[in-house]
Amino acid sequence: MARGKRRRQTKPSSAPDDDRPDVLEKADMWNERFSKYYKAQNIIPEEEWDKFMDRLREPLPTTFRVAGSREIAHSLNSTIETNYVSQLTGATFEGETVPPPAKIPWYPDGLAWQFNVSKKVLRKQPEFRKFHSFLVYETEVGNISRQEAVSMIPPLLLDVEPHHKVIDMCAAPGSKTAQLLEALHARDTATATSTPPGLLIANDSESKRAHLLIHQSARLPSPAFMVTNLDASIYPIMRLPNSTSTTRGKVKNQLLFDRILCDVPCSGDGTLRKNIGIWKKWQPMDGNGLHGLQIRILQRAMRMLEDDGRIVYSTCSLNPVENEAVIAAALNSNPEFELIDVYDRLQELVRRPGIATWKPTVDRNIDTSFATWADYVASLEGKQPAAKMAETHWPPANAEELGLPKCLRIYPHLQDTGGFFVAVLQKKGTSKASAGTSERKRPADEVADANPENDAKKAKFDGEGEDDATAADVTMLDSSEQTNADGDAAAQPAAPSKSNTTAQPRKVFDTGFRESPYTFLSPDDPAIKQCMEQLFLDPSFPSSNVLVRSPSGETVRSLYLTNDIVHAVVAANDYTRIRLLTCGTKAITRQEASKGIAAQFRILGEGLPVVLPYTRPDTILEADAAALKILLSVYYPLSSSFGEPFRSAVDARETGSHIVRFPASSEINLTHDLLVPLWKSNVSISMMIDKKAKSALSLRLFGEDITVAAREAAQKNRGARGNVPAAAEPAPEVTAEQAEVEPDGEEQTNADDDTIIDDTINDEHSKQNS
């Protein structure tokens, strides 16, 4: 049974401000068991051992990748090169040259970066401080992903295309999920989101971490996205309606996946450079204990895969018991699968092959004297073993035949990274297409089973392989369904029609699941008609794929937009059974108004790229750089503040939600058209994006933060130092007329952001799973 998540460890307030070696001295970065165990595994040549250990004691470089659509990513990458790298080249601090940011050589299109400077330099060296602020703001709005370099590898090797059905089985906090979403949206433009025909499900077993995925996904809104909160090792069967299903699994109309990412819970010793507390507590039984869970997750993925599909298995552990041993056990339990050789991918990535021999320890004192499982069992002589060991902990007799060297091992001293393991699997005889493309993992005592009621269904792995796949799958069917001798569902519930305003009542399978129900609206629902009229949407708007999260009969408040396959999955599966937290993207919300004024729908900032392709072009306002500067620097500017022709165009519009386009301009470093939602009141207008997005946009275009929030923060800081009273320059006043009809306020982002550029915040690779 999985265990609970350990709370994030943060540096004590009394700790020094400089790098982590000041918290734990290098001399203390030592663990005798660690050295003894890994020397016994021969994971690296003896002559490299000291170099390997020395690098483990060095702080991890800061790495990030430029995210979002390809057009936006290349534009932002150019800004980094032009505006920052050139300025930082040759910079000095306290008499020493500070290296500028450099591209990670193996990441496609040069969209990933690394820089290795101390926090002291970031805070005190003006050029680096400015660069750091740029990274923080761009991370907040999703254009930069703070992610350890090796964590970026698995999604690249999964080779996702827009039509694929994809699942990330252990997804939180979501950096790899974001990469998969970007691949699914490869056809997006700088201003509009495509609607891919494929699907991405992000799953995590821990509820809070699963909700973090929702926040992360808002940075790249996708009608093809779903989040579930399930134990990956017993992930339930999902179905498609009869008319939608294109393939049939062992259960009739089973939803099978083209690509599956198993970035599984692990002991996390590959993150020693970032999570230095592991030096004190590391012991090999953590990996031994996780071994069975890791096998079950990978085996479950094998049963969920399409015939021509691909699985990527990865850990941030160096332990062969969590890596090659898991791969070997899964391959031997399912001979239909094989490892793919991906050594021709990411050619500038320095890596080592997987190993075919290892020596598991049977206790925490590193007893590796038993060459085989049989030797270990014979030594017990009927006594109770001190540890739960299985035959799969040891190398199988056919280890060489399995092709384990096709796995990838990445060591910190090879390319100044963390430690990592990756393996790519697919079914034998299927396409051998290339396996590439043109976080803190929870530690051993951290995994929580979000569904304790499923414990009775969880198979115990005894070292001899799990039950037949069909039988295992059938145990996960709805309890109300009967199966025939072939394991197929004897009866399929009719999928609700897209025209149904109210979803058909279904049995509630999880009474502890408290999420709101999902209801697809009828295309002729009054709310949709009102929305299309107010927001100038043309008839091509996919009104049959609009859902709400409120019970039938309640006022429609927010509209979510999905694609066809997400609609099909929601219609054919009870949302409580699959513990569905969200699907599609929240694009439009109902804006309540004061007495005497009709309620209006407005487009959300995160929903604009999804709605834009369906907006009538003639209704989009045009403005210039001067108008943009006013909108960024004033909360509610009066329409009289703007020049012509924008002023007259705004005055001619009704109160409500509108879209404005700012054309590309070299004057303000705007490389492509910028479109944002506006809200027009009786006398003023406001830009409806959150404060962090405004600050990021201001820094990118004007080279400084000109927003009201930035001025207020500066005034507060000056006031705290006693230089200027904090209220010396109040923000523009909101008139009574404005207050009557302004929206509830700027859109807010979750302050609990897991990807801020700061090494006190954990990233994807440094989240340790167990």
Side-chain angles (χ1 to χ4, degrees):
M1 178 176 173
R3 283 155 284 175
K5 180 173 77 78
R6 179 180 303 160
R7 300 184 180 209
R8 176 184 299 166
Q9 296 182 352
T10 56
K11 185 163 58 176
S13 58
S14 59
D17 287 337
D18 292 334
D19 295 321
R20 283 159 296 176
D22 293 331
V23 180
L24 185 65
E25 297 293 338
K26 285 187 178 181
D28 297 324
M29 294 181 185
W30 170 257
N31 185 303
E32 183 177 359
R33 290 191 297 245
F34 179 90
S35 296
K36 184 178 179 181
Y37 179 74
Y38 280 117
K39 279 193 172 184
Q41 309 313 316
N42 293 316
I43 60 171
I44 56 174
E46 179 63 31
E47 60 270 19
E48 295 182 20
W49 181 259
D50 290 342
K51 186 177 180 181
F52 165 70
M53 292 297 291
D54 287 344
R55 185 51 59 95
L56 281 176
R57 298 184 180 102
E58 296 291 336
L60 193 67
T62 295
T63 52
F64 64 91
R65 64 180 185 83
V66 184
S69 73
R70 290 179 180 176
E71 191 173 347
I72 289 177
H74 284 289
S75 173
L76 192 60
N77 220 41
S78 178
T79 299
I80 294 172
E81 291 184 276
T82 304
N83 295 357
Y84 292 100
V85 175
S86 59
Q87 296 177 13
L88 297 174
T89 301
T92 60
F93 182 75
E94 296 181 349
E96 294 186 7
T97 300
V98 182
K103 291 182 178 179
I104 296 175
W106 49 263
Y107 196 89
D109 300 323
L111 292 176
W113 295 78
Q114 172 176 312
F115 66 105
N116 200 351
V117 298
S118 68
K119 290 173 67 177
K120 184 177 181 181
V121 172
L122 287 176
R123 291 173 178 174
K124 296 185 178 181
Q125 214 274 359
E127 291 85 359
F128 271 97
R129 186 170 66 243
K130 185 177 180 180
F131 179 57
H132 183 259
S133 296
F134 165 80
L135 293 179
V136 168
Y137 280 117
E138 294 294 349
T139 298
E140 294 281 2
V141 299
N143 291 332
I144 295 290
S145 176
R146 166 71 168 92
Q147 188 175 357
E148 190 175 338
V150 291
S151 169
M152 305 173 192
I153 297 170
L156 296 177
L157 297 180
L158 205 55
D159 195 15
V160 170
E161 297 179 13
H163 66 278
H164 282 151
K165 301 182 294 293
V166 188
I167 182 169
D168 186 350
M169 298 190 73
C170 309
S175 293
K176 294 184 184 72
T177 301
Q179 281 181 271
L180 299 175
L181 263 181
E182 290 164 24
L184 208 64
H185 282 265
R187 298 173 189 151
D188 284 9
T189 67
T191 55
T193 296
S194 61
T195 301
L199 162 73
L200 173 61
I201 297 178
N203 175 71
D204 200 87
S205 65
E206 206 280 319
S207 178
K208 290 182 179 179
R209 293 167 62 85
H211 278 91
L212 175 61
L213 294 169
I214 301 173
H215 169 57
Q216 298 285 62
S217 68
R219 299 168 173 180
L220 183 57
S222 175
F225 187 61
M226 303 176 70
V227 175
T228 60
N229 172 213
L230 293 157
D231 182 341
S233 67
I234 52 172
Y235 201 87
I237 289 173
M238 289 188 184
R239 264 181 286 271
L240 294 172
N242 291 338
S243 59
T244 308
S245 180
T246 57
T247 59
R248 295 183 183 274
K250 296 180 183 299
V251 175
K252 189 175 181 181
N253 294 341
Q254 181 180 353
L255 171 64
L256 299 175
F257 295 91
D258 302 292
R259 300 288 186 266
I260 300 179
L261 177 57
C262 296
D263 186 47
V264 301
C266 68
S267 60
D269 55 24
T271 70
L272 268 168
R273 298 181 66 184
K274 188 174 186 70
N275 300 306
I276 59 177
I278 296 175
W279 283 108
K280 295 293 186 183
K281 65 187 180 185
W282 187 91
Q283 58 95 6
M285 304 313 288
D286 289 346
N288 283 353
L290 287 165
H291 172 80
L293 173 64
Q294 292 160 343
I295 292 174
R296 292 196 300 272
I297 292 174
L298 181 53
Q299 289 176 324
R300 184 70 195 118
M302 288 173 161
R303 293 194 294 271
M304 295 163 59
L305 193 70
E306 282 276 20
D307 286 342
D308 60 349
R310 178 174 299 133
I311 298 173
V312 169
Y313 174 92
S314 61
T315 75
C316 50
S317 169
L318 303 174
N319 195 343
V321 165
E322 301 179 69
N323 297 325
E324 287 89 351
V326 172
I327 298 298
L331 290 175
N332 281 329
S333 70
N334 195 332
E336 293 181 320
F337 281 80
E338 64 182 344
L339 285 165
I340 303 173
D341 190 339
V342 292
Y343 265 72
D344 61 337
R345 309 302 305 179
L346 310 178
Q347 293 187 10
E348 294 188 70
L349 173 66
V350 182
R351 82 292 295 270
R352 295 284 167 77
I355 59 179
T357 61
W358 58 90
K359 299 177 180 179
T361 177
V362 298
D363 60 32
R364 65 177 57 219
N365 296 318
I366 321 300
D367 181 358
T368 59
S369 60
F370 300 106
T372 66
W373 159 256
D375 293 341
Y376 173 62
V377 171
S379 72
L380 296 176
E381 297 179 348
K383 296 182 294 185
Q384 185 70 20
K388 292 183 179 180
M389 303 293 289
E391 186 172 5
T392 53
H393 282 87
W394 276 262
N398 65 339
E400 295 289 347
E401 301 169 17
L402 295 175
L404 296 178
K406 293 178 182 178
C407 303
L408 307 184
R409 282 186 156 264
I410 298 153
Y411 298 119
H413 67 293
L414 298 179
Q415 218 163 359
D416 199 12
T417 66
F420 212 67
F421 175 87
V422 188
V424 184
L425 303 93
Q426 71 179 22
K427 287 187 178 179
K428 293 179 181 178
T430 57
S431 171
K432 292 295 183 70
S434 171
T437 63
S438 43
E439 300 180 16
R440 192 171 82 76
K441 282 292 180 195
R442 287 166 282 174
D445 56 351
E446 277 190 15
V447 168
D449 182 0
N451 305 292
E453 67 273 19
N454 287 331
D455 285 351
K457 296 182 180 180
K458 188 180 297 185
K460 298 296 183 181
F461 192 83
D462 61 4
E464 298 180 1
E466 287 190 292
D467 294 337
D468 175 79
T470 302
D473 282 344
V474 169
T475 64
M476 298 173 206
L477 289 169
D478 298 350
S479 58
S480 60
E481 295 173 351
Q482 300 297 319
T483 58
N484 59 29
D486 295 325
D488 289 346
Q492 286 289 326
S497 166
K498 289 185 178 182
S499 62
N500 287 349
T501 300
T502 305
Q504 297 297 319
R506 304 188 187 109
K507 178 179 178 180
V508 176
F509 291 89
D510 185 350
T511 56
F513 188 65
R514 303 299 183 189
E515 293 292 321
S516 299
Y518 290 78
T519 305
F520 281 95
L521 299 178
S522 166
D524 57 3
D525 188 284
I528 290 185
K529 289 185 174 181
Q530 180 186 9
C531 175
M532 293 182 67
E533 179 181 350
Q534 291 179 349
L535 300 180
F536 312 109
L537 302 180
D538 63 38
S540 66
F541 180 72
S543 54
S544 60
N545 283 338
V546 175
L547 66 80
V548 295
R549 296 293 309 277
S550 53
S552 177
E554 289 192 5
T555 301
V556 172
R557 300 192 181 277
S558 295
L559 303 181
Y560 294 73
L561 195 62
T562 73
N563 67 357
D564 290 340
I565 190 169
V566 169
H567 187 143
V569 172
V570 174
N573 299 272
D574 183 272
Y575 81 101
T576 63
R577 175 180 168 271
I578 62 175
R579 295 181 66 88
L580 182 61
L581 299 183
T582 192
C583 65
T585 187
K586 186 177 178 180
I588 298 167
T589 190
R590 185 185 182 93
Q591 181 63 48
E592 299 298 338
S594 58
K595 186 176 180 180
I597 301 176
Q600 299 253 359
F601 284 101
R602 67 181 177 94
I603 300 173
L604 296 169
E606 67 193 59
L608 177 59
V610 178
V611 176
L612 186 62
Y614 311 105
T615 303
R616 286 167 32 204
D618 61 299
T619 64
I620 298 176
L621 295 164
E622 299 284 340
D624 57 16
L628 177 58
K629 196 164 189 175
I630 293 172
L631 287 166
L632 287 172
S633 59
V634 182
Y635 273 141
Y636 305 108
L638 301 176
S639 59
S640 59
S641 305
F642 299 92
E644 297 292 355
F646 181 60
R647 175 178 175 177
S648 295
V650 168
D651 286 341
R653 294 294 178 91
E654 296 290 334
T655 298
S657 179
H658 301 279
I659 300 172
V660 62
R661 175 190 286 110
F662 301 95
S665 170
S666 57
E667 176 188 350
I668 57 171
N669 195 35
L670 185 56
T671 59
H672 56 266
D673 288 1
L674 172 69
L675 291 99
V676 295
L678 298 179
W679 180 266
K680 180 183 182 295
S681 72
N682 290 339
V683 295
S684 69
I685 60 175
S686 55
M687 184 185 295
M688 297 309 296
I689 60 176
D690 64 57
K691 296 177 182 179
K692 294 174 183 178
K694 283 185 177 180
S695 292
L697 186 60
S698 178
L699 281 169
R700 195 184 319 138
L701 301 183
F702 300 105
E704 60 178 328
D705 192 345
I706 62 173
T707 63
V708 176
R711 293 200 304 272
E712 290 175 344
Q715 292 161 12
K716 183 177 180 180
N717 289 338
R718 289 197 298 269
R721 292 195 299 266
N723 296 337
V724 179
E729 298 178 24
E733 235 176 79
V734 180
T735 66
E737 291 88 350
Q738 291 170 307
E740 280 185 357
V741 292
E742 290 292 351
D744 296 333
E746 293 179 303
E747 296 178 43
Q748 300 298 314
T749 56
N750 190 337
D752 185 19
D753 192 339
D754 200 56
T755 57
I756 298 175
I757 303 291
D758 193 312
D759 49 9
T760 62
I761 303 294
N762 291 319
D763 68 358
E764 169 79 19
H765 179 49
S766 65
K767 62 150 182 151
Q768 296 174 344
N769 283 342
S770 72

